[in-house]
């Protein structure tokens, strides 16, 4: 037996590679449902529809606000850990810990607002995510009190423990964002899915006047609303969590017709798909329409 053959036989591969995801089971823990239901309802009642809720969702900036705020808070705590580890200025560490705690309240408010409008499987992970981050904030609060009292060593130990809890919370947040797609855009831009040019959709006479319906363009579901001889078309799946917009209610917002998603209440302007109210932060893909001479409605993605 040559040397190469012996080397190959020396390598042992596991028969089954374990799953890298440890949180699949957490999504199915129904024991969390009762407190989730109570807290989510209280959050929605306390932060009702309006500009405050839209701000906390991140509607004005076009994407969820919570991750951006969380980055600042955790960044301050990481900075404090670096200062503590290097033995540099203790006052600088206190300032960084305090700044992170100052950011924790608006971060939690934005996170709870988003969490209250998620699906139950997402809320289960988000509930533990919130508890973990609350633990981190509690540890940092006690750390700051100890530091202020001159007990720097104990304060540093609690800060490192708080950073560990914050990293665990960040791991759970990553699962929410990347595995469960909470906060992601569920109405992907359709321009690259539809060939260039105009496409026949349906006959105008087959559309009910004033009532939204769904029609298909290839394998894409569309929200279609006829108002007289005019037709407005949006992607049907809501950008928040893919709710069916054609089942939603029509309302007027600032003199413009809008549709309310039946699942979580996002409001979109029918004319161009922009967000009037959250929890959605991404606009709905919109389509241009025209009426052919024989009464066929044609569509193409709006630029």
């Amino acid at each position: 037996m040559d040397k190469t053959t012996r080397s190959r036989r020396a390598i042992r591969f596991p028969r089954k590679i374990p799953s890298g995801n440890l949180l699949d089971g957490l999504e199915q823990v129904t024991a969390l449902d009762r407190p989730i239901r109570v807290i989510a309802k209280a959050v929605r009642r306390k932060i009702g529809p309006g500009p405050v809720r839209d701000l906390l969702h991140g509607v004005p900036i076009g994407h969820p606000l919570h991750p951006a705020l969380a980055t600042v808070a955790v960044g301050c705590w990481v900075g404090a850990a670096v200062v503590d580890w290097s033995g540099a200025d203790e006052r600088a560490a206190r300032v960084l810990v305090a700044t992170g705690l100052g950011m924790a309240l608006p971060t939690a408010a934005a996170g709870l607002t988003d969490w209250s409008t998620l699906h139950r499987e997402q809320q289960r992970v988000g509930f533990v995510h919130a508890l973990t981050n609350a633990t981190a904030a509690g540890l940092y609060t006690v750390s700051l009190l100890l530091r202020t009292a001159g007990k720097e060593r104990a304060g540093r130990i609690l800060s490192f423990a708080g950073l560990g809890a914050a990293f665990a919370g960040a791991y759970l947040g990553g699962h929410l964002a990347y595995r469960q797609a909470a906060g992601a855009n569920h109405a992907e831009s359709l321009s690259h899915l539809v060939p260039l040019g105009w496409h026949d959709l349906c006959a105008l006479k087959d559309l009910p006047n004033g009532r939204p319906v769904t029609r298909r363009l290839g394998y894409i579901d569309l929200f279609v609303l006829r108002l007289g001889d005019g037709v407005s078309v949006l992607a049907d799946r809501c950008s928040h969590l893919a709710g069916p917009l054609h089942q939603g209610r029509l309302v007027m917002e600032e003199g413009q017709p809008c549709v309310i998603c039946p699942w979580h209440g996002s409001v979109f302007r029918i004319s161009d798909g922009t967000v009037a109210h959250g929890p959605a932060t991404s606009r709905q893909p919109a389509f241009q329409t025209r009426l052919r001479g024989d009464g066929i409605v044609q569509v193409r993605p709006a630029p």
Side-chain angles (χ1 to χ4, degrees), residues 34-57:
R34 185 172 182 180
I36 286 172
R37 190 163 45 247
V38 172
I39 296 171
K41 184 177 180 180
V43 171
R44 292 194 299 269
R45 183 173 61 248
K46 187 68 175 179
I47 310 175
V52 173
R53 191 179 78 169
D54 287 343
L55 177 63
L56 290 173
H57 279 309

Side-chain angles (χ1 to χ4, degrees), residues 15-299:
R15 293 182 178 180
K16 182 179 179 182
I17 298 176
S19 170
N21 175 37
L22 304 177
L23 301 178
D24 287 340
L26 180 58
E27 299 175 11
Q28 309 303 324
V29 179
T30 58
L32 301 174
D33 289 356
R34 185 172 182 180
I36 286 172
R37 190 163 45 247
V38 172
I39 296 171
K41 184 177 180 180
V43 171
R44 292 194 299 269
R45 183 173 61 248
K46 187 68 175 179
I47 310 175
V52 173
R53 191 179 78 169
D54 287 343
L55 177 63
L56 290 173
H57 279 309
V59 174
I61 61 176
H63 62 75
L65 180 64
H66 174 69
L69 296 178
T71 299
V72 177
V74 175
C76 288
W77 291 338
V78 170
V82 172
V83 172
D84 284 337
W85 189 263
S86 65
D89 187 3
E90 295 175 353
R91 181 174 179 275
R94 289 196 296 270
V95 170
L96 287 167
V97 169
T99 303
L101 285 171
M103 290 299 301
L105 184 59
T107 301
L112 280 172
T113 304
D114 289 341
W115 172 82
S116 69
T117 59
L118 295 176
H119 293 327
R120 187 51 50 86
E121 289 81 5
Q122 296 168 328
Q123 286 183 328
R124 290 166 183 158
V125 176
F127 184 71
V128 180
H129 168 72
L131 291 178
T132 307
N133 287 332
T135 300
L139 289 168
Y140 272 108
T141 299
V142 177
S143 170
L144 184 61
L145 293 174
L146 290 173
R147 291 170 187 268
T148 304
K151 301 178 180 179
E152 293 291 341
R153 186 172 183 276
R156 285 196 296 270
I157 292 172
L158 285 182
S159 285
F160 285 121
L163 187 61
F167 281 165
Y171 175 71
L172 290 163
H175 183 85
L176 271 167
Y178 297 111
R179 176 62 68 88
Q180 296 183 295
N185 179 9
H186 289 258
E188 181 186 15
S189 176
L190 302 176
S191 58
H192 67 289
L193 301 177
V194 180
L196 297 175
W198 292 93
H199 303 275
D200 295 345
L201 183 62
C202 61
L204 180 66
K205 63 182 179 61
D206 293 336
L207 296 174
N209 191 25
R211 179 171 63 86
V213 294
T214 183
R215 293 290 184 267
R216 289 184 70 84
L217 181 63
Y219 54 86
I220 301 169
D221 292 323
L222 300 179
F223 164 97
V224 183
L225 176 64
R226 173 187 175 185
L227 295 174
D229 290 333
V231 179
S232 297
V233 178
L234 303 174
D236 188 51
R237 295 299 175 182
C238 173
S239 64
H240 175 233
L241 285 177
L245 290 186
H246 73 278
Q247 297 179 12
R249 182 166 52 92
L250 300 179
V251 295
M252 296 296 292
E253 287 280 343
E254 299 179 354
Q256 297 188 49
C258 298
V259 60
I260 302 177
C261 178
W263 283 6
H264 302 104
S266 297
V267 183
F268 301 94
R269 295 182 179 89
I270 293 172
S271 60
D272 58 5
T274 55
V275 179
H277 299 294
T281 58
S282 300
R283 63 180 292 275
Q284 284 298 113
F287 286 75
Q288 294 177 332
T289 64
R290 72 180 184 185
L291 187 62
R292 215 166 60 186
D294 58 358
I296 298 297
V297 176
Q298 295 186 309
V299 299

